[in-house]
Amino acid sequence: MNEPARRPTALLVMEEERRADVYPPEVLAEVERLVHLQGPPLTREQLDEEPDVLRQVEVLLTGWGAPVLDAALLSHAPRLRAVLVAAGSVRHLTTPAFWARGIPIVSAAPANAVPVAEFTLAQVLLGLKQVHRITREVTSSRRFPHNPRVPGAYRSRVGLLGLGHIGRLVASHLSRFDVEVLATDPLASPDTARRTGVRLVGIEELFATSHVVSLHAPLLPETRGTIGARLLNSLGPGATLINTARGALIDETAAAEVLRARPDLTAVLDVTHPEPPAHDSPLFTLPNVVLTPHLGGALGAERHRLGELVLDELRRFIHDQPLQYAIDPEHAASLA
């Protein structure tokens, strides 16, 4: 695309720690070609000290450590026309005052979904082979089992709780394997399920019949603590639970009791609540819990994808083209 006739004024505000990963030099150079940057990048705290820097800003570029878009901030940004967020969730940033302004906000959740779905796929395949369970048994017995019985990736069943960006991408990856994919998502239509290649079922069937269950639901008041003793106890022998979504989806006290009583089960927890768990949490000592420190999300160079998505959306914005990843205000409350 050609350069715009007039370059809008933009400001980059996000934490310093991940800024260079999200907006690498080649992305920043292209941003500067397309817009007039209002000064150097700021952190949220620096913006709080100097909010009048927003007076001429038309495009707010941000990412992790983004400012909350409340009435106070918006009062300093009368010319703001778009917010482009190189991160996943925007629910904690948006307020009624923001939505009332009718300003489009873009989320890079589809880009962040890529590494999460890749991590999930790896854990699903390991779970279908029951790698973690068998490794525990080999270590304990110092013997190799003879002809272990595992579901494998042939006519086995994988359950997905949630069909957002990540859930749909996981389902797409799994379509290459000889597995049946079930999903539970009250907002997913039959047409979405058909296009995604999954069969919609209730949460009870999802847990009771899947060899691996992977959580991809948003954390909402109605989903907090959803995964408790009843659902976990309904899992079949040797089943694996994977959580790359939000730790508070699981009632961790109940989960620890079930996992202690069911050594055949495995829980792969890439997220917890709190994160990390309390120092004395049984999650650190239960042998059938695999704890990883939020490895599923974009790390290092993987974060470049988020900045590139924002750059692509910036091009569309300045050329008056429809934004591909703008959040629909009507569905914002149900997003992660």
Side-chain angles (χ1 to χ4, degrees):
M1 292 182 182
N2 297 325
E3 289 192 28
R6 187 188 72 83
R7 295 191 300 163
T9 299
L11 179 66
L12 173 56
V13 181
M14 69 170 292
E15 66 175 39
E16 288 187 47
E17 183 179 7
R18 289 177 278 193
R19 186 191 296 153
D21 284 343
V22 174
Y23 292 97
E26 63 273 19
V27 169
L28 272 182
E30 183 64 9
V31 166
E32 291 191 46
R33 188 181 72 82
L34 297 172
V35 301
H36 168 66
L37 282 177
Q38 180 76 24
L42 300 178
T43 64
R44 179 172 55 200
E45 293 75 18
Q46 290 169 329
L47 181 63
D48 288 342
E49 294 175 0
E50 195 181 352
D52 282 339
V53 74
L54 290 166
R55 286 291 174 194
Q56 302 302 318
V57 170
E58 297 166 79
V59 181
L60 179 63
L61 305 172
T62 186
W64 282 285
V68 175
L69 304 167
D70 57 15
L73 180 144
L74 294 168
S75 69
H76 293 280
R79 301 185 63 184
L80 188 63
R81 296 193 291 132
V83 179
L84 309 182
V85 185
S89 176
V90 300
R91 190 150 57 92
H92 61 297
L93 306 179
T94 53
T95 64
F98 173 77
W99 293 119
R101 281 274 297 268
I103 299 169
I105 183 168
V106 162
S107 163
N112 195 50
V114 173
V116 182
E118 292 169 348
F119 179 90
T120 300
L121 175 64
Q123 294 297 337
V124 166
L125 295 176
L126 290 173
L128 291 174
K129 283 287 192 178
Q130 298 192 1
V131 168
H132 296 302
R133 176 185 66 81
I134 292 173
T135 297
R136 293 193 300 271
E137 294 174 358
V138 167
T139 301
S140 175
S141 67
R142 301 195 178 190
R143 293 189 304 174
F144 282 5
H146 174 70
N147 192 27
R149 307 294 293 179
V150 300
Y154 181 70
R155 295 186 177 178
S156 49
R157 185 171 284 175
V158 177
L160 306 178
L161 182 64
L163 280 179
H165 290 299
I166 299 170
R168 294 196 303 272
L169 191 51
V170 172
S172 175
H173 289 330
L174 288 171
S175 68
R176 304 196 300 270
F177 299 89
D178 292 321
V179 298
E180 181 184 13
V181 183
L182 309 182
T184 298
D185 188 326
L187 300 180
S189 67
D191 183 59
T192 296
R194 179 186 57 77
R195 287 186 284 105
T196 309
V198 305
R199 179 164 67 88
L200 290 175
V201 298
I203 194 169
E204 290 81 9
E205 181 178 350
L206 189 86
F207 273 76
T209 66
S210 297
H211 299 99
V212 175
V213 173
S214 188
L215 308 185
H216 304 288
L219 180 60
L220 306 171
E222 58 268 31
T223 61
R224 182 177 293 272
T226 298
I227 314 307
R230 179 179 59 84
L231 288 174
L232 293 172
N233 270 319
S234 73
L235 289 168
T240 297
L241 174 73
I242 302 166
N243 190 9
T244 58
R246 293 289 186 267
L249 293 173
I250 298 176
D251 179 343
E252 290 181 354
T253 300
E257 293 176 1
V258 172
L259 291 165
R260 188 176 289 111
R262 293 275 309 272
D264 61 296
L265 299 179
T266 298
V268 179
L269 306 180
D270 194 46
V271 290
T272 58
H273 183 73
E275 193 172 298
H279 186 73
D280 59 351
S281 171
L283 298 180
F284 284 120
T285 55
L286 284 167
N288 51 345
V289 172
V290 179
L291 279 180
T292 54
H294 222 124
L295 293 180
L299 298 174
E302 293 174 325
R303 295 173 181 150
H304 291 7
R305 286 192 185 100
L306 283 72
E308 289 165 357
L309 182 147
V310 161
L311 176 59
D312 288 343
E313 291 287 75
L314 179 61
R315 290 194 188 99
R316 292 187 183 90
F317 174 77
I318 64 177
H319 289 97
D320 295 320
Q321 296 177 343
L323 298 172
Q324 285 192 323
Y325 301 109
I327 301 297
D328 181 350
E330 292 186 6
H331 299 132
S334 65
L335 298 176

